[in-house]
Amino acid sequence: MYQVNYHRAASVADAARLLATGEAKLVSGGMTLIPAMKTRLAAPSDLVDISRIEALKGISVSGDAVTIGAATTHYEVAENAALKKACLALAHLASLIGDPAVRHRGTIGGSVANNDPAADYPAALLALGATVTTDKRKIAADDFFTGLFETALEEGEIVTSVSFTLPAKAGYEKFRNPASRYAIVGVFVARGKDGAVRAAVTGAGSDGVFRSAEIEAALAGNFDAAALSGVTVPADALMSDIHASAEYRAHLVAVMARRAVAAANA
């Protein structure tokens, strides 16, 4: 085992200071970083633990505004009573992540910052028109996710929370890898209180999470699963791997979209 220095940050400012040390990396749940370190895919000189920073925890539902602290675990998102009442789709999404051990340790901020192409939260944030807040600025979700494992975060920038305005309706469905429970395809749909429809797809795009213009156009005039009958998504921008071909993923996008809309209307 190579040498690594462990620091427990007392505040966001403290974490930012420690993050400037050597080749430091943030850790909270550690669901991605620790396995990467075990396999030598990552070798930070320092680990800055932000899991004990109270300012990064908690879920606030106030009127139409929802804010979730970056260190809030998947389990807390899944089980929060106020969030379940306000936006059940997001709580449902969190309940589908990994297994109980992962949900009790993994955090929404870590997932968002890592931007795994098969992660669930990026699709939710895109479809909900969310905002990612860091210790330096606010970034619209449309501008935040920039590619496979790539985000708009600058060196040393720390995600502190995510926020969004409650939609009129929302739903999420995914076709899970039976081993990892990552999305082979996941679709999050939302209709705003102004009638605008947004639909985001995870697990399928060759460049990561993306919004589907085809699904959004079909649902714009009629937010019903039947409106998606015959709607197809081009396979040329989707990934093929050992789990599914691009063509199969294109088929699954349409199927998951219909199920997500049905769940939103239930």
Side-chain angles (χ1 to χ4, degrees):
M1 180 67 178
Y2 58 85
Q3 183 175 344
V4 60
N5 301 306
Y6 171 82
H7 311 271
R8 179 178 293 172
S11 66
V12 174
D14 188 35
R17 177 183 61 81
L18 291 166
L19 196 55
T21 303
E23 296 293 326
K25 293 290 185 182
L26 294 176
V27 64
S28 184
M31 296 297 98
T32 298
L33 180 58
I34 300 304
M37 291 174 65
K38 287 181 177 179
T39 55
R40 300 298 194 269
L41 294 174
S45 63
D46 297 76
L47 290 179
V48 181
D49 187 348
I50 59 174
S51 64
R52 307 292 182 91
I53 301 176
E54 289 301 320
L56 296 180
K57 298 181 180 181
I59 299 170
S60 169
V61 180
S62 179
D64 285 344
V66 177
T67 301
I68 304 175
T72 305
T73 66
H74 310 321
Y75 175 79
E76 290 166 335
V77 175
E79 296 300 320
N80 185 270
L83 185 62
K84 279 185 175 181
K85 183 177 180 180
C87 187
L88 181 60
L90 187 58
H92 172 64
L93 175 151
S95 75
L96 300 176
I97 297 174
D99 54 28
V102 169
R103 291 193 291 274
H104 278 275
R105 289 297 304 165
T107 63
I108 187 170
S111 176
V112 168
N114 188 53
N115 190 22
D116 189 292
D120 301 281
Y121 286 122
L125 267 59
L126 267 187
L128 292 168
T131 297
V132 179
T133 299
T134 76
D135 59 330
K136 299 178 180 179
R137 56 182 170 147
K138 295 180 181 292
I139 312 169
D142 284 320
D143 301 321
F144 184 83
F145 303 105
T146 59
L148 298 177
F149 296 102
E150 296 289 336
T151 71
L153 289 173
E154 298 174 349
E155 190 71 24
E157 195 168 9
I158 302 171
V159 175
T160 58
S161 67
V162 299
S163 58
F164 60 92
T165 300
L166 287 174
K169 293 183 177 182
Y172 179 69
E173 291 294 330
K174 74 172 176 179
F175 190 84
R176 289 177 282 182
N177 181 306
S180 69
R181 296 178 176 85
Y182 272 108
I184 292 177
V185 167
V187 180
F188 198 110
V189 296
R191 188 183 74 177
K193 294 182 179 179
D194 61 355
V197 175
R198 295 170 67 99
V201 180
T202 188
S206 58
D207 199 31
V209 65
F210 66 94
R211 287 176 60 187
S212 170
E214 295 82 8
I215 294 172
E216 291 179 353
L219 295 174
N222 180 21
F223 194 77
D224 189 272
L228 293 172
S229 179
V231 172
T232 59
V233 175
D236 54 4
L238 303 185
M239 69 171 75
S240 288
D241 56 24
I242 61 172
H243 304 296
S245 66
E247 291 74 19
Y248 185 50
R249 279 188 164 93
H251 169 73
L252 285 175
V253 169
V255 173
M256 294 302 110
R258 289 195 295 270
R259 293 181 183 179
V261 174
N265 287 326

